[in-house]
Amino acid sequence: MAGRWKNDLTWSQVTPKAAWLNRRQVIAAAAGLAAGGIAGVARAGLSAKPSQYSTVEEPTSYEAVTTYNNFYEFGTGKDDPARNAHMLTTEGWQVQIDGLVDKPGTWTMDDVLAGTTLEERIYRFRCVEAWSMVVPWVGFELADLLNRVGVQPSAKYVAFETALRPEEMPGVRTRVLDWPYVEGLRLDEAMNPLTIMATGVYDEPMPNQNGAPIRLVVPWKYGFKSIKSIVRITLTEDEPPTSWNKANGREYGFYSNVNPEVSHPRWSQATEREVGGGLLAKRKPTLMFNGYGQEVASLYDGMDLAKYY
Ligand SMILES: Nc1nc2c(c(=O)[nH]1)N[C@H]1C(S)=C(S)[C@@H](COP(=O)(O)O)O[C@H]1N2
Ligand SMILES: [Mo]
């Protein structure tokens, strides 16, 4: 297990940028730099510290990470987010933090990032649809933010909400989900050091299609728990509703821990296809808790994971 971790170098230190950016992407990255400004880029990634929690596995290509997406607010096709998410306005973004906290309020992105140390977290990422990627996120621990607002003793869960902007999000004009997209974690899951708020990917500001300017990443759970473009975080006493559970509670539970032994009612979860692996790539075996059992299995001691799926 220990061999999976590295703790000395970030992805960008070991790989020349040109090796993972083709020419078109270099142009797009330069445009992002112009839009975000130097400070924005530095905040989003260039100063990110390496982490002991990063996997040594080879990251999925930048191209695949930013063009093969699920972000139903922009359409249900895998290529819809990359095509449509440029419509999302991220300037002046605010995150409301409320509920059972000592200091409720509205935070700008500068407030959120002030005093945080951004890290690169290269994580395995497993969608419930049985595809996977390895993504070099940039972000900070959610625990860090929650400690700054002060979690009250009665809080047991954290609820998250995505922006709802019908004029910028063509997908929300259809009722494929009950908008806004909402998600939730148990407080101990939220406080686990693996749980991050990500503000970048591949050493640059978060592309809109990946959930700009700030999204959750919970690497041991199916991808739909990792809610994008967050505008509200609420500490609650009761388990909060979650979008895919509301849409189909038999197929998608609150916990949604990656589990090769618990099949989705319509397909096996035993194996996964690595996106960008090519047509001949063999499916990989799916790992319990997506390979993060050493860090998180104890959160579920004594729980029947087939019942609490
Ligand atoms: N708001 C919102 N968040 C979302 C989704 C979505 O449709 N809307 N899709 C989820 C699903 S199913 C997955 S697999 C991941 C995909 O993240 P990625 O596109 O950055 O790989 O985002 C999750 N977060
Ligand atoms: Mo997903």
Side-chain angles (χ1 to χ4, degrees), residues 64-66 68-75 78 81 125-129 131 133 135 137 161-163 169 177 179-183 201 206-207 209-211 215-216 222-230 243-244:
V65 168
T66 57
Y68 187 94
N69 300 101
N70 275 334
F71 199 167
Y72 277 21
E73 285 86 337
F74 297 98
K78 293 287 180 273
F125 189 77
R126 170 61 156 82
C127 176
V128 74
E129 298 164 332
W131 53 262
M133 297 188 185
V135 184
W137 305 107
E161 190 178 307
T162 295
M169 296 173 155
L177 287 172
W179 310 109
Y181 195 102
V182 290
E183 257 305 334
V201 74
M206 190 66 78
Q209 61 268 34
N210 293 92
R215 56 105 44 101
L216 182 71
Y222 291 121
F224 65 84
K225 298 293 293 182
S226 293
I227 180 174
K228 296 177 167 181
S229 303
I230 293 168
S243 284
W244 280 102

